[in-house]
Amino acid sequence: MIRRFGAVLIGLALTLPLSLSAVTAHTTAGVTVDYDVVGDTIVGTVTNHTSTRLAGIDVTATWDETPDPDVTATGPVLVTNLAPHAASPFELAVPDEADGLTLTSVTAAGTVSGTKPIGGLDLAGSLTGDTYNGTIHNESASNGTNIVVYAVRSDGTGFEDAAESAPVTVNAGVSGAAFTINFDAAGDGTTVYLIAKTSAGAFLTSWNNFFGDLGKTAFKSEIEFLADEGITLGCGNANFCPTSNVTREQMALFLVRAQPTVFDDPTPYGFTDIDHLSQASQDAINALANADVSGGCSLEPLKYCPKSSVTRGQMSKFIALAYDLPPATDDYFTDDEGHFSEDFNNQMFEASITSGCGTDKYCPSSTLKREQMAKFLFEAETP
């Protein structure tokens, strides 16, 4: 029997060593547990919605036994050092004494970790029957020893089981190292939440230990940096949506998280089209306006156009003003003459944040993708 429980929000007990206090600078607390009861096993995933790394995460299930003390069972997630916004599979055995009792909660707790996973393992493969055959490409500069791949199998409506591969060694730059995951023969679903990590040497991890959809973006390291710093929280469901357009609302949130001391005045500016947004988005948009970084998209009536896509030229203005880039000394692009962003584009070039979109071109009117935004913000944050 499978009983489905969807995305239960739970509290997170964080034990923060004093020596790691700086790690929590951008923390947004909270994790979620998504699980099913499959026979005598609880199967599911724990998603880290904080912007810090979590280690030693345990899942605890509680069954009500009124009036006697409750029955509990505790076990670890499979990925023991979980990056910001990543998800780990877990399996937890139901104890015999819980038979016939009501399961009242499934919660998780972890510790803020100073050990940073190094992204670099790219996974590919397919599930045939009960066996997942895949390959690992080690894109990092470090050799990977004892790399184990974990996954949960799902039928599309619920989880069925979790399993892991035997450990393999994949040296730096090696592509196509094989691994196999054998699932319980009782299942018939597809593989989800595929994630890999090392247990020895350099702490390598697959890119989906940061977000689950970074397999084909060229800006994995930059996106991972923004997640680690709490500048991006992704687009939902432990994904980043690298090829989606950046909206003006998202750009405001990115900049305020990156530069909280610059954008510290959320006093309402008077925009008439942002009242339906979250309070965080309203505060970010107002803070940008109060810092004279954005005056909106319309004066009569005063509007911000939060859902409109950001162009490369608009992004130049946002970043040049937000990071107070010095004036440019030369003109570098031929396709932005007379464009409002011309000076900002040149500032971006001289600050080595971007070299344009081609020979002597900047493409100021092209829309900005989220992966491109990650690259620009990374360069601005790490001059």
Side-chain angles (χ1 to χ4, degrees), residues 8 64 71 84 135 173 186 192 204 219 224 256 317 339 341 354 359:
V8 179
D64 181 38
V71 174
T135 56
V192 295
L204 303 180
F219 303 113
E224 176 256 313
V256 169
K317 178 180 178 181
H339 195 273
S341 68
T354 180
T359 304

Side-chain angles (χ1 to χ4, degrees), residues 4-297:
R4 179 68 178 155
F5 300 83
V8 179
L9 184 63
I10 61 173
L12 177 66
L14 296 180
T15 304
L16 179 60
L18 294 178
S19 61
L20 300 178
S21 58
V23 175
T24 62
H26 296 286
T27 297
T28 301
V31 293
T32 56
V33 177
D34 198 22
Y35 66 97
D36 286 296
V37 179
V38 185
D40 58 359
T41 305
I42 300 175
V43 181
T45 60
V46 170
T47 302
N48 174 13
H49 292 288
T50 79
S51 55
T52 57
R53 298 171 295 280
L54 297 180
I57 301 172
D58 283 327
V59 178
T60 299
T62 302
W63 291 262
D64 181 38
E65 191 175 19
T66 305
D68 297 324
D70 292 338
V71 174
T72 62
T74 299
V77 295
L78 298 182
V79 180
T80 55
N81 193 315
L82 200 57
H85 318 296
S88 171
F90 74 89
E91 280 192 326
L92 186 63
V94 176
D96 293 339
E97 55 267 35
D99 186 39
L101 301 181
T102 300
L103 179 63
T104 56
S105 67
V106 180
T107 60
T111 303
V112 172
S113 169
T115 303
K116 182 177 181 179
I118 303 170
L121 303 179
D122 200 9
L123 307 177
S126 61
L127 180 67
T128 302
D130 302 309
T131 301
Y132 187 96
N133 290 303
T135 56
I136 303 173
H137 179 196
N138 184 356
E139 300 174 341
S140 78
S142 300
N143 294 336
T145 58
N146 292 333
I147 298 174
V148 176
V149 185
Y150 306 91
V152 172
R153 185 161 56 171
S154 170
D155 64 0
T157 62
F159 297 112
E160 296 182 355
D161 52 0
E164 62 189 71
S165 72
V168 297
T169 294
V170 187
N171 290 334
V174 172
S175 179
F179 70 89
T180 299
I181 298 176
N182 293 308
F183 288 97
D184 189 316
D188 59 0
T190 59
T191 302
V192 295
Y193 292 106
L194 194 71
I195 189 168
K197 73 176 183 67
T198 57
S199 60
F203 195 173
L204 303 180
T205 182
S206 52
W207 286 112
N208 55 352
N209 194 4
F210 293 95
F211 291 109
D213 56 353
L214 300 189
K216 295 183 179 180
T217 178
F219 303 113
K220 298 171 184 175
S221 297
E222 291 85 351
I223 294 168
E224 176 256 313
F225 171 84
L226 296 189
D228 208 35
E229 291 297 310
I231 296 172
T232 180
L233 305 179
C235 62
N237 297 320
N239 288 324
F240 180 77
C241 302
T243 59
S244 295
N245 292 342
V246 179
T247 68
R248 289 169 58 86
E249 175 187 9
Q250 292 168 354
M251 197 71 211
L253 288 166
F254 293 141
L255 290 175
V256 169
R257 292 175 189 143
Q259 296 278 72
T261 59
V262 174
F263 304 111
D264 59 356
D265 182 7
T267 303
Y269 191 77
F271 293 118
T272 60
D273 60 343
I274 67 172
D275 289 349
H276 63 290
L277 303 178
S278 69
Q279 191 62 52
S281 292
Q282 293 184 50
D283 289 347
I285 291 168
N286 288 324
L288 255 63
N290 290 325
D292 296 324
V293 170
S294 175
C297 63

